[in-house]
Coordinates of all heavy atoms in Angstrom, one line a residue:
M1 N 183.0 84.2 109.5 CA 184.4 84.7 109.4 C 184.9 84.6 108.0 O 185.4 85.6 107.4 CB 185.2 83.8 110.3 CG 186.7 84.3 110.4 SD 186.8 86.0 111.0 CE 188.4 86.5 110.3
K2 N 184.7 83.5 107.3 CA 185.1 83.3 106.0 C 184.5 84.4 105.1 O 185.1 84.9 104.2 CB 184.7 81.9 105.5 CG 185.8 81.1 105.1 CD 185.3 79.8 104.4 CE 186.5 78.9 104.0 NZ 186.1 77.5 103.8
Y3 N 183.2 84.6 105.4 CA 182.4 85.6 104.6 C 183.1 87.0 104.7 O 183.3 87.6 103.7 CB 181.0 85.6 105.1 CG 180.2 86.7 104.5 CD1 179.7 86.7 103.2 CD2 179.8 87.9 105.2 CE1 179.0 87.7 102.6 CE2 179.1 88.9 104.7 CZ 178.7 88.8 103.4 OH 178.0 89.9 102.9
F4 N 183.4 87.4 105.9 CA 184.0 88.7 106.1 C 185.3 88.8 105.4 O 185.7 89.9 104.8 CB 184.1 89.0 107.6 CG 182.8 89.3 108.2 CD1 182.3 88.5 109.2 CD2 182.1 90.5 107.9 CE1 181.1 88.8 109.8 CE2 180.9 90.8 108.4 CZ 180.4 89.9 109.4
L5 N 186.0 87.7 105.4 CA 187.3 87.7 104.8 C 187.2 87.9 103.3 O 187.9 88.7 102.8 CB 188.1 86.4 105.1 CG 189.5 86.4 105.0 CD1 190.1 87.3 106.0 CD2 190.1 85.0 105.2
S6 N 186.2 87.3 102.7 CA 186.1 87.4 101.2 C 185.6 88.8 100.9 O 186.0 89.4 99.9 CB 185.2 86.3 100.6 OG 184.2 86.0 101.4
V7 N 184.8 89.4 101.8 CA 184.3 90.8 101.5 C 185.5 91.7 101.6 O 185.7 92.6 100.8 CB 183.2 91.2 102.5 CG1 182.9 92.7 102.4 CG2 181.9 90.4 102.2
F8 N 186.3 91.5 102.6 CA 187.5 92.3 102.8 C 188.4 92.2 101.6 O 188.8 93.3 101.1 CB 188.2 91.8 104.1 CG 189.4 92.6 104.4 CD1 189.3 94.0 104.7 CD2 190.7 92.0 104.4 CE1 190.5 94.7 105.0 CE2 191.8 92.7 104.7 CZ 191.7 94.1 105.0
I9 N 188.7 91.0 101.1 CA 189.5 90.9 100.0 C 188.9 91.5 98.7 O 189.6 92.3 98.0 CB 189.8 89.4 99.7 CG1 190.7 88.9 100.9 CG2 190.5 89.2 98.4 CD1 190.9 87.4 100.9
A10 N 187.6 91.3 98.5 CA 186.9 92.0 97.4 C 187.1 93.5 97.5 O 187.3 94.2 96.5 CB 185.5 91.6 97.4
L11 N 186.9 94.1 98.7 CA 187.1 95.5 98.8 C 188.5 95.9 98.5 O 188.7 97.0 97.8 CB 186.7 95.9 100.3 CG 185.2 96.0 100.6 CD1 185.0 96.4 102.0 CD2 184.6 97.1 99.7
L12 N 189.4 95.2 98.9 CA 190.9 95.5 98.6 C 191.1 95.6 97.1 O 191.7 96.4 96.6 CB 191.8 94.4 99.2 CG 192.3 94.6 100.6 CD1 193.3 93.6 101.0 CD2 192.9 96.0 100.7
V13 N 190.6 94.5 96.5 CA 190.9 94.4 95.0 C 190.1 95.3 94.2 O 190.6 96.0 93.3 CB 190.5 92.9 94.6 CG1 190.8 92.8 93.1 CG2 191.4 92.0 95.3
F14 N 188.7 95.5 94.5 CA 187.9 96.3 93.7 C 187.6 97.7 94.2 O 187.0 98.5 93.6 CB 186.6 95.6 93.4 CG 186.9 94.3 92.6 CD1 186.6 93.1 93.2 CD2 187.4 94.3 91.4 CE1 186.8 91.9 92.5 CE2 187.6 93.2 90.6 CZ 187.3 91.9 91.2
G15 N 188.1 97.9 95.5 CA 187.7 99.1 96.2 C 188.2 100.4 95.5 O 187.5 101.5 95.6
C16 N 189.3 100.3 94.7 CA 189.8 101.5 94.1 C 189.1 101.9 92.8 O 189.5 102.8 92.1 CB 191.3 101.4 93.9 SG 192.1 100.6 95.2
S17 N 188.3 101.0 92.4 CA 187.6 101.3 91.0 C 186.1 101.1 91.1 O 185.6 100.3 90.5 CB 188.2 100.3 90.0 OG 188.2 99.0 90.5
P18 N 185.5 101.9 91.9 CA 184.1 101.8 92.2 C 183.2 102.0 91.0 O 182.2 101.4 90.8 CB 183.7 102.8 93.2 CG 184.8 103.8 93.1 CD 186.0 103.1 92.6
S19 N 183.7 102.9 90.0 CA 182.8 103.1 88.9 C 183.1 102.2 87.7 O 182.6 102.4 86.6 CB 182.9 104.6 88.5 OG 184.2 105.0 88.5
L20 N 184.0 101.4 87.9 CA 184.4 100.4 86.8 C 183.3 99.4 86.7 O 183.1 98.6 87.7 CB 185.7 99.8 87.0 CG 186.5 99.1 85.9 CD1 186.7 100.1 84.8 CD2 187.8 98.5 86.4
Y21 N 182.5 99.4 85.7 CA 181.2 98.6 85.7 C 181.6 97.1 85.8 O 182.6 96.6 85.4 CB 180.4 98.8 84.4 CG 180.9 98.1 83.2 CD1 180.2 96.9 82.8 CD2 182.0 98.5 82.5 CE1 180.7 96.2 81.6 CE2 182.4 97.8 81.4 CZ 181.8 96.7 80.9 OH 182.2 96.0 79.8
K22 N 180.7 96.4 86.4 CA 180.7 94.9 86.5 C 179.8 94.3 85.6 O 178.6 94.6 85.5 CB 180.4 94.5 88.0 CG 181.6 94.2 88.8 CD 181.3 93.2 89.8 CE 182.5 92.2 90.0 NZ 182.7 91.8 91.4
P23 N 180.3 93.5 84.7 CA 179.4 92.8 83.7 C 178.3 92.0 84.4 O 178.6 91.4 85.4 CB 180.3 92.0 82.8 CG 181.5 91.7 83.7 CD 181.7 93.0 84.5
D24 N 177.1 92.0 83.8 CA 176.1 91.2 84.3 C 175.2 90.7 83.1 O 174.2 91.3 82.8 CB 175.2 92.0 85.3 CG 174.1 91.1 86.0 OD1 174.2 89.9 85.9 OD2 173.2 91.7 86.5
V25 N 175.7 89.7 82.5 CA 175.0 89.2 81.3 C 174.5 87.8 81.5 O 175.0 87.1 82.3 CB 175.9 89.2 80.0 CG1 176.3 90.7 79.7 CG2 177.1 88.4 80.2
A26 N 173.4 87.4 80.8 CA 172.8 86.1 81.0 C 173.7 85.0 80.5 O 173.7 83.9 81.2 CB 171.4 86.1 80.3
D27 N 174.3 85.1 79.4 CA 175.3 84.1 78.9 C 176.4 83.8 79.8 O 177.2 84.6 80.0 CB 175.7 84.5 77.5 CG 176.6 83.5 76.8 OD1 177.2 82.7 77.5 OD2 176.6 83.5 75.6
A28 N 176.4 82.6 80.4 CA 177.4 82.3 81.5 C 178.8 82.4 81.0 O 179.7 82.8 81.7 CB 177.1 80.9 82.1
K29 N 179.0 81.8 79.7 CA 180.4 81.8 79.2 C 180.9 83.2 79.0 O 182.0 83.6 79.3 CB 180.4 81.1 77.9 CG 180.9 79.7 78.0 CD 181.5 79.3 76.6 CE 182.4 78.0 76.8 NZ 182.1 77.1 75.8
L30 N 180.0 84.1 78.4 CA 180.3 85.5 78.1 C 180.6 86.2 79.5 O 181.6 86.9 79.6 CB 179.2 86.2 77.4 CG 179.4 87.6 77.0 CD1 180.7 87.8 76.2 CD2 178.2 88.1 76.3
Q31 N 179.7 86.0 80.4 CA 179.9 86.6 81.8 C 181.3 86.3 82.3 O 182.0 87.1 82.8 CB 178.8 86.1 82.7 CG 178.9 86.5 84.1 CD 178.7 88.0 84.4 OE1 178.3 88.7 83.4 NE2 178.9 88.4 85.6
E32 N 181.6 85.0 82.2 CA 182.9 84.5 82.8 C 184.1 85.2 82.1 O 185.0 85.7 82.7 CB 183.0 83.0 82.6 CG 184.0 82.3 83.4 CD 184.1 80.9 83.1 OE1 183.0 80.2 83.2 OE2 185.1 80.3 82.8
S33 N 184.0 85.4 80.7 CA 185.1 85.9 80.1 C 185.2 87.5 80.3 O 186.3 88.0 80.4 CB 185.1 85.6 78.6 OG 184.3 86.5 77.9
L34 N 184.0 88.1 80.5 CA 184.0 89.5 80.8 C 184.6 89.8 82.1 O 185.4 90.7 82.4 CB 182.6 90.1 80.7 CG 182.0 90.2 79.3 CD1 180.6 90.7 79.3 CD2 182.8 91.2 78.4
L35 N 184.2 88.9 83.1 CA 184.8 89.1 84.5 C 186.3 88.8 84.5 O 187.0 89.5 85.2 CB 184.1 88.1 85.4 CG 182.8 88.5 86.0 CD1 182.2 87.4 86.9 CD2 182.9 89.8 86.8
A36 N 186.7 87.8 83.7 CA 188.1 87.5 83.6 C 188.9 88.7 83.1 O 190.0 89.1 83.6 CB 188.4 86.3 82.8
G37 N 188.3 89.4 82.0 CA 189.0 90.6 81.5 C 189.0 91.7 82.4 O 190.1 92.4 82.5
R38 N 188.0 91.8 83.2 CA 188.0 92.9 84.2 C 189.0 92.7 85.3 O 189.7 93.6 85.6 CB 186.6 93.0 84.9 CG 186.4 94.1 85.9 CD 185.0 94.0 86.6 NE 184.7 95.2 87.3 CZ 185.0 95.5 88.5 NH1 185.8 94.6 89.2 NH2 184.6 96.6 89.1
K39 N 189.1 91.5 85.7 CA 190.1 91.1 86.7 C 191.6 91.4 86.2 O 192.4 92.0 87.0 CB 190.0 89.6 87.0 CG 190.4 89.2 88.4 CD 189.9 87.9 88.7 CE 190.8 87.2 89.7 NZ 190.4 85.8 89.9
I40 N 191.9 91.0 85.0 CA 193.2 91.2 84.5 C 193.4 92.7 84.3 O 194.5 93.2 84.6 CB 193.4 90.5 83.1 CG1 193.1 89.0 83.2 CG2 194.8 90.8 82.5 CD1 193.0 88.4 81.9
Y41 N 192.4 93.4 83.8 CA 192.5 94.9 83.6 C 192.9 95.5 85.0 O 193.8 96.3 85.1 CB 191.2 95.4 83.1 CG 191.3 96.9 82.8 CD1 192.3 97.5 82.1 CD2 190.3 97.7 83.4 CE1 192.3 98.8 81.9 CE2 190.3 99.1 83.2 CZ 191.3 99.7 82.4 OH 191.4 101.0 82.3
V42 N 192.1 95.2 86.0 CA 192.3 95.8 87.3 C 193.6 95.5 87.9 O 194.4 96.3 88.4 CB 191.1 95.4 88.3 CG1 191.5 95.9 89.7 CG2 189.8 95.9 87.8
S43 N 194.0 94.2 87.7 CA 195.3 93.8 88.4 C 196.5 94.2 87.6 O 197.6 94.4 88.2 CB 195.3 92.3 88.7 OG 195.2 91.5 87.5
R44 N 196.5 94.2 86.2 CA 197.7 94.4 85.5 C 197.8 95.9 85.0 O 198.9 96.3 84.6 CB 197.7 93.5 84.3 CG 197.6 92.0 84.7 CD 198.7 91.6 85.6 NE 200.0 91.6 84.9 CZ 200.5 90.5 84.3 NH1 199.8 89.4 84.3 NH2 201.7 90.6 83.7
C45 N 196.8 96.6 84.9 CA 196.8 97.9 84.3 C 196.8 99.1 85.3 O 196.7 100.2 84.9 CB 195.7 98.1 83.3 SG 195.7 96.8 82.1
S46 N 196.8 98.8 86.6 CA 196.7 99.9 87.5 C 198.0 100.1 88.3 O 198.0 100.9 89.3 CB 195.6 99.6 88.5 OG 195.9 98.4 89.2
N47 N 199.1 99.5 87.8 CA 200.4 99.7 88.6 C 201.0 101.0 88.3 O 201.6 101.6 89.2 CB 201.3 98.6 88.1 CG 200.9 97.2 88.5 OD1 200.0 97.1 89.3 ND2 201.4 96.2 87.8
C48 N 200.8 101.6 87.2 CA 201.5 102.8 86.8 C 200.6 104.0 86.8 O 201.1 105.2 86.8 CB 202.2 102.7 85.5 SG 203.2 101.2 85.3
H49 N 199.4 103.9 86.5 CA 198.4 105.0 86.5 C 197.1 104.5 87.0 O 196.8 103.3 87.0 CB 198.4 105.6 85.1 CG 198.2 104.5 84.0 ND1 197.1 103.8 83.8 CD2 199.1 104.1 83.0 CE1 197.2 103.0 82.8 NE2 198.4 103.2 82.3
N50 N 196.2 105.4 87.2 CA 194.8 105.1 87.5 C 194.2 104.4 86.4 O 194.6 104.6 85.2 CB 194.0 106.3 87.9 CG 194.4 106.9 89.2 OD1 194.9 106.2 90.1 ND2 194.3 108.2 89.3
L51 N 193.2 103.5 86.6 CA 192.5 102.8 85.6 C 191.7 103.8 84.8 O 191.0 104.7 85.3 CB 191.6 101.7 86.1 CG 192.3 100.6 86.7 CD1 191.4 99.6 87.4 CD2 193.1 99.8 85.6
H52 N 191.7 103.7 83.5 CA 190.8 104.5 82.7 C 189.5 103.9 82.5 O 189.4 102.6 82.4 CB 191.4 104.8 81.3 CG 192.7 105.6 81.4 ND1 192.6 107.0 81.3 CD2 194.0 105.3 81.5 CE1 193.9 107.4 81.4 NE2 194.7 106.4 81.5
L53 N 188.4 104.6 82.5 CA 187.1 104.0 82.4 C 186.8 103.7 80.9 O 187.3 104.4 80.0 CB 186.0 104.9 82.9 CG 186.1 105.2 84.4 CD1 185.0 106.2 84.8 CD2 186.0 103.9 85.2
P54 N 186.1 102.6 80.6 CA 185.8 102.3 79.2 C 185.3 103.4 78.3 O 185.6 103.6 77.2 CB 184.8 101.2 79.3 CG 185.0 100.5 80.6 CD 185.5 101.6 81.5
K55 N 184.5 104.3 79.0 CA 183.8 105.3 78.2 C 184.7 106.5 77.8 O 184.4 107.3 77.1 CB 182.6 105.9 79.0 CG 183.0 106.5 80.3 CD 181.7 107.3 80.8 CE 182.1 108.2 82.0 NZ 181.9 107.8 83.3
E56 N 186.0 106.5 78.4 CA 186.9 107.6 78.2 C 187.4 107.6 76.7 O 187.8 108.6 76.2 CB 188.1 107.5 79.1 CG 187.8 108.0 80.5 CD 189.0 107.8 81.4 OE1 190.0 108.4 81.0 OE2 188.9 107.2 82.4
F57 N 187.4 106.4 76.1 CA 188.0 106.4 74.7 C 187.1 105.7 73.8 O 186.3 104.8 74.2 CB 189.4 105.7 74.7 CG 190.4 106.2 75.7 CD1 190.7 105.6 76.9 CD2 191.0 107.5 75.4 CE1 191.6 106.1 77.7 CE2 191.9 108.0 76.3 CZ 192.2 107.3 77.4
T58 N 187.2 105.9 72.5 CA 186.5 105.2 71.5 C 187.1 103.8 71.4 O 188.2 103.6 71.8 CB 186.5 105.8 70.1 OG1 187.9 105.9 69.7 CG2 186.0 107.3 70.2
S59 N 186.4 102.9 70.7 CA 187.0 101.5 70.5 C 188.3 101.6 69.7 O 189.3 100.9 70.1 CB 186.0 100.7 69.6 OG 184.8 100.7 70.2
E60 N 188.4 102.4 68.7 CA 189.6 102.6 68.0 C 190.8 102.9 68.9 O 191.9 102.3 68.8 CB 189.5 103.6 66.8 CG 188.5 103.2 65.8 CD 188.8 101.8 65.3 OE1 190.0 101.5 64.8 OE2 187.9 100.9 65.3
I61 N 190.6 103.9 69.7 CA 191.7 104.4 70.5 C 192.0 103.4 71.6 O 193.2 103.1 71.8 CB 191.3 105.8 71.2 CG1 191.2 106.8 70.0 CG2 192.3 106.2 72.2 CD1 190.9 108.2 70.4
W62 N 191.0 102.7 72.1 CA 191.3 101.6 73.1 C 192.2 100.6 72.5 O 193.1 100.1 73.1 CB 190.0 101.0 73.6 CG 189.5 101.6 74.9 CD1 188.3 102.2 75.0 CD2 190.2 101.7 76.1 NE1 188.2 102.7 76.4 CE2 189.3 102.3 77.0 CE3 191.4 101.3 76.6 CZ2 189.7 102.6 78.4 CZ3 191.7 101.5 77.9 CH2 190.9 102.1 78.8
K63 N 191.9 100.1 71.3 CA 192.6 99.1 70.7 C 194.1 99.5 70.5 O 195.0 98.7 70.8 CB 192.1 98.7 69.3 CG 190.9 97.8 69.4 CD 190.2 97.4 68.1 CE 188.8 96.9 68.3 NZ 187.9 97.3 67.2
K64 N 194.3 100.8 70.1 CA 195.7 101.2 69.9 C 196.4 101.3 71.3 O 197.5 100.9 71.4 CB 195.7 102.6 69.3 CG 195.5 102.5 67.8 CD 195.8 103.9 67.1 CE 195.2 103.9 65.7 NZ 194.3 105.0 65.5
Q65 N 195.7 101.9 72.3 CA 196.3 102.0 73.6 C 196.6 100.7 74.3 O 197.7 100.5 74.8 CB 195.3 102.8 74.5 CG 195.3 104.3 74.3 CD 196.6 105.0 74.5 OE1 197.5 104.5 75.1 NE2 196.7 106.1 73.9
V66 N 195.7 99.7 74.2 CA 196.0 98.5 74.8 C 197.1 97.7 74.1 O 197.9 97.1 74.7 CB 194.7 97.6 74.9 CG1 195.0 96.2 75.6 CG2 193.6 98.4 75.7
D67 N 197.2 97.9 72.8 CA 198.4 97.3 72.1 C 199.7 97.9 72.6 O 200.6 97.2 72.9 CB 198.3 97.7 70.6 CG 197.6 96.6 69.8 OD1 197.3 95.5 70.4 OD2 197.2 96.8 68.7
L68 N 199.7 99.3 72.8 CA 200.9 99.9 73.3 C 201.2 99.5 74.7 O 202.3 99.2 75.1 CB 200.7 101.4 73.3 CG 200.6 102.2 72.0 CD1 200.2 103.7 72.2 CD2 202.0 102.1 71.3
M69 N 200.1 99.3 75.5 CA 200.3 99.0 76.9 C 200.6 97.5 77.2 O 201.0 97.1 78.3 CB 199.0 99.4 77.7 CG 198.9 100.8 77.8 SD 200.2 101.7 78.7 CE 200.3 103.2 77.8
Q70 N 200.3 96.7 76.2 CA 200.6 95.2 76.3 C 202.0 95.0 76.7 O 202.3 94.2 77.6 CB 200.2 94.5 75.0 CG 200.5 93.0 75.1 CD 200.1 92.3 73.8 OE1 200.0 93.0 72.7 NE2 200.1 91.0 73.9
V71 N 203.0 95.7 76.1 CA 204.4 95.5 76.4 C 204.6 96.0 77.8 O 205.3 95.2 78.6 CB 205.2 96.3 75.4 CG1 206.7 96.0 75.7 CG2 204.8 96.1 74.0
R72 N 204.1 97.1 78.2 CA 204.3 97.6 79.5 C 203.8 96.7 80.6 O 204.4 96.5 81.7 CB 203.7 99.0 79.7 CG 204.5 100.0 78.9 CD 203.9 101.4 79.2 NE 204.9 102.4 78.9 CZ 204.6 103.6 78.3 NH1 203.3 103.8 78.1 NH2 205.5 104.4 78.0
A73 N 202.6 96.1 80.4 CA 202.0 95.3 81.4 C 202.4 93.9 81.3 O 202.2 93.1 82.2 CB 200.4 95.3 81.2
G74 N 203.2 93.5 80.3 CA 203.7 92.2 80.2 C 202.6 91.1 80.1 O 202.7 90.1 80.7
I75 N 201.6 91.4 79.3 CA 200.5 90.4 79.2 C 200.5 89.7 77.8 O 201.1 90.3 76.9 CB 199.1 91.1 79.4 CG1 199.0 92.3 78.5 CG2 199.0 91.6 80.8 CD1 197.6 92.9 78.5
S76 N 199.9 88.6 77.8 CA 199.9 87.8 76.6 C 198.8 88.3 75.6 O 197.9 89.1 76.0 CB 199.6 86.3 76.9 OG 198.2 86.2 77.4
D77 N 198.8 87.8 74.4 CA 197.7 88.2 73.5 C 196.4 87.8 74.0 O 195.4 88.6 73.8 CB 197.9 87.6 72.1 CG 199.0 88.3 71.3 OD1 199.5 89.3 71.7 OD2 199.5 87.7 70.3
D78 N 196.3 86.6 74.5 CA 194.9 86.2 75.1 C 194.5 87.1 76.2 O 193.3 87.5 76.2 CB 195.1 84.8 75.7 CG 195.1 83.7 74.6 OD1 194.9 84.0 73.4 OD2 195.5 82.6 75.0
E79 N 195.4 87.5 77.1 CA 195.0 88.4 78.2 C 194.6 89.8 77.6 O 193.6 90.4 78.1 CB 196.2 88.6 79.2 CG 196.4 87.4 80.0 CD 197.7 87.4 80.8 OE1 198.7 87.8 80.3 OE2 197.6 86.9 82.0
K80 N 195.3 90.2 76.6 CA 195.0 91.5 75.9 C 193.6 91.4 75.3 O 192.8 92.4 75.5 CB 196.0 91.8 74.9 CG 195.7 93.1 74.2 CD 196.7 93.4 73.0 CE 196.2 92.7 71.8 NZ 197.1 92.9 70.6
N81 N 193.3 90.3 74.7 CA 192.0 90.2 74.1 C 190.8 90.2 75.1 O 189.8 90.7 74.9 CB 191.9 89.0 73.2 CG 192.7 89.2 71.9 OD1 192.9 90.4 71.5 ND2 193.3 88.1 71.4
L82 N 191.1 89.5 76.2 CA 190.1 89.5 77.3 C 189.8 90.9 77.8 O 188.7 91.3 78.1 CB 190.6 88.6 78.5 CG 190.4 87.1 78.2 CD1 191.1 86.3 79.4 CD2 188.9 86.7 78.2
I83 N 190.9 91.7 78.0 CA 190.8 93.0 78.5 C 190.0 93.9 77.5 O 189.0 94.6 77.8 CB 192.2 93.7 78.6 CG1 192.9 93.1 79.8 CG2 192.0 95.2 78.9 CD1 194.3 93.6 80.1
L84 N 190.3 93.7 76.2 CA 189.6 94.5 75.2 C 188.1 94.1 75.1 O 187.2 95.0 75.0 CB 190.2 94.3 73.8 CG 191.4 95.2 73.5 CD1 192.1 94.9 72.2 CD2 191.0 96.7 73.5
N85 N 187.9 92.8 75.2 CA 186.4 92.3 75.2 C 185.7 93.0 76.3 O 184.5 93.5 76.1 CB 186.3 90.8 75.3 CG 186.5 90.1 74.1 OD1 186.5 90.7 73.0 ND2 186.8 88.8 74.1
Y86 N 186.3 93.0 77.5 CA 185.6 93.7 78.6 C 185.5 95.2 78.4 O 184.4 95.7 78.5 CB 186.5 93.4 79.9 CG 186.1 94.3 81.0 CD1 184.8 94.1 81.6 CD2 186.9 95.4 81.4 CE1 184.4 95.0 82.7 CE2 186.5 96.2 82.5 CZ 185.2 96.0 83.1 OH 184.9 96.9 84.1
L87 N 186.5 95.8 78.0 CA 186.4 97.3 77.8 C 185.5 97.7 76.7 O 184.8 98.8 76.9 CB 187.8 97.8 77.5 CG 188.8 97.8 78.6 CD1 190.2 98.2 78.1 CD2 188.4 98.8 79.8
L88 N 185.4 97.0 75.7 CA 184.6 97.4 74.6 C 183.2 96.7 74.5 O 182.4 96.9 73.6 CB 185.3 97.0 73.2 CG 186.7 97.6 73.1 CD1 187.4 97.4 71.8 CD2 186.7 99.1 73.4
Y89 N 182.9 95.9 75.6 CA 181.7 95.2 75.5 C 180.4 96.0 75.3 O 179.6 95.7 74.5 CB 181.5 94.3 76.8 CG 180.1 93.6 76.8 CD1 179.9 92.6 75.8 CD2 179.1 93.9 77.6 CE1 178.7 92.0 75.7 CE2 177.9 93.3 77.6 CZ 177.7 92.3 76.6 OH 176.5 91.7 76.5
D90 N 180.3 97.1 76.1 CA 179.1 97.9 75.9 C 179.2 99.0 74.8 O 178.3 99.9 74.8 CB 178.6 98.5 77.3 CG 179.6 99.4 77.9 OD1 180.8 99.5 77.3 OD2 179.4 100.0 78.9
K91 N 180.2 99.0 74.0 CA 180.3 99.9 72.9 C 179.9 99.1 71.7 O 180.2 97.8 71.7 CB 181.7 100.4 72.7 CG 182.3 101.2 73.8 CD 183.7 101.6 73.5 CE 184.5 102.1 74.6 NZ 184.2 103.5 75.0
K92 N 179.4 99.7 70.7 CA 179.1 98.9 69.6 C 179.8 99.4 68.4 O 180.4 100.5 68.3 CB 177.6 98.9 69.2 CG 176.8 97.9 70.2 CD 177.3 96.4 70.0 CE 177.0 95.5 71.0 NZ 177.7 95.4 72.3
Ligands
HEC1 C1 204.8 99.9 83.3 C2 203.8 101.0 83.5 C3 202.4 100.9 82.8 C4 201.5 99.8 82.8 C5 201.7 98.4 83.5 C6 200.4 100.2 82.0 N1 200.5 101.5 81.6 FE1 199.2 102.6 80.6 N2 200.4 104.2 80.5 C7 201.7 104.2 81.1 C8 202.3 105.5 80.9 C9 203.6 106.0 81.3 C10 201.3 106.2 80.1 C11 201.4 107.7 79.6 C12 202.4 108.0 78.6 C13 202.3 107.2 77.3 O1 201.2 107.1 76.8 O2 203.3 106.8 76.8 C14 200.2 105.4 79.9 C15 199.1 105.8 79.3 C16 197.9 105.0 79.1 C17 196.8 105.4 78.4 C18 196.5 106.7 77.7 C19 195.9 107.7 78.6 C20 195.6 109.0 77.8 O3 195.1 109.8 78.5 O4 196.0 109.1 76.7 C21 195.9 104.3 78.5 C22 194.4 104.2 77.9 C23 196.5 103.2 79.2 N3 197.8 103.7 79.6 C24 196.0 102.0 79.4 C25 196.6 100.9 80.0 C26 196.2 99.6 80.0 C27 194.9 99.1 79.4 C28 197.1 98.8 80.6 C29 197.1 97.3 80.9 C30 197.1 96.4 79.7 C31 198.2 99.7 81.0 N4 197.9 101.0 80.6 C32 199.3 99.3 81.7 C33 202.3 103.2 81.8 C34 201.8 101.9 82.1

């Protein structure tokens, strides 16, 4: 029962963003911070518009956009940096 409940909640939370990649890296600390960034991104950035995929913008544009959106989403600098780390992780 508990299992089904958590699957249900996971579907609710992540169901709307199936193509938003889930980080899977060996470094546990990095993995944790990427997942935290993803979580904040999904929960704080999807209220007003659909989530944009990381590949939609270059790193430069992402940095500018997330700066602009920080005010709208009411997030701290730390939260912003977690989001950016997540979004830009697979870009170099
Ligand atoms: C309070 C509403 C609101 C929240 C919360 C919000 N946005 Fe936005 N966002 C907008 C609006 C409105 C636009 C389009 C108009 C503009 O750019 O001023 C936009 C545009 C964007 C764009 C540009 C899209 C394009 O095609 O150019 C990106 C990227 C973006 N938001 C990312 C984010 C991120 C990341 C977050 C979370 C930190 C976020 N948004 C949170 C309202 C919001």
Side-chain angles (χ1 to χ4, degrees):
M1 184 58 205
K2 241 186 178 160
Y3 173 73
F4 285 115
L5 201 63
S6 40
V7 169
F8 180 62
I9 291 171
L11 281 177
L12 269 187
V13 176
F14 298 114
C16 322
S17 48
S19 45
L20 199 58
Y21 82 102
K22 258 208 142 143
D24 184 16
V25 296
D27 182 333
K29 258 206 164 137
L30 179 60
Q31 171 72 1
E32 198 181 307
S33 85
L34 290 174
L35 275 179
R38 185 184 193 273
K39 204 165 157 189
I40 301 168
Y41 181 55
V42 171
S43 63
R44 304 301 290 271
C45 302
S46 60
N47 298 340
C48 308
H49 47 69
N50 290 331
L51 291 171
H52 294 272
L53 297 178
K55 65 167 192 262
E56 283 180 56
F57 305 106
T58 63
S59 306
E60 291 313 303
I61 294 182
W62 267 120
K63 281 179 198 147
K64 280 190 198 128
Q65 284 297 339
V66 179
D67 270 347
L68 291 173
M69 292 296 146
Q70 179 177 13
V71 186
R72 288 189 161 140
I75 53 173
S76 68
D77 284 349
D78 285 349
E79 290 170 318
K80 182 185 79 177
N81 289 330
L82 281 171
I83 292 177
L84 275 176
N85 279 344
Y86 165 70
L87 289 172
L88 305 184
Y89 176 66
D90 61 352
K91 300 181 194 278
K92 284 294 164 286

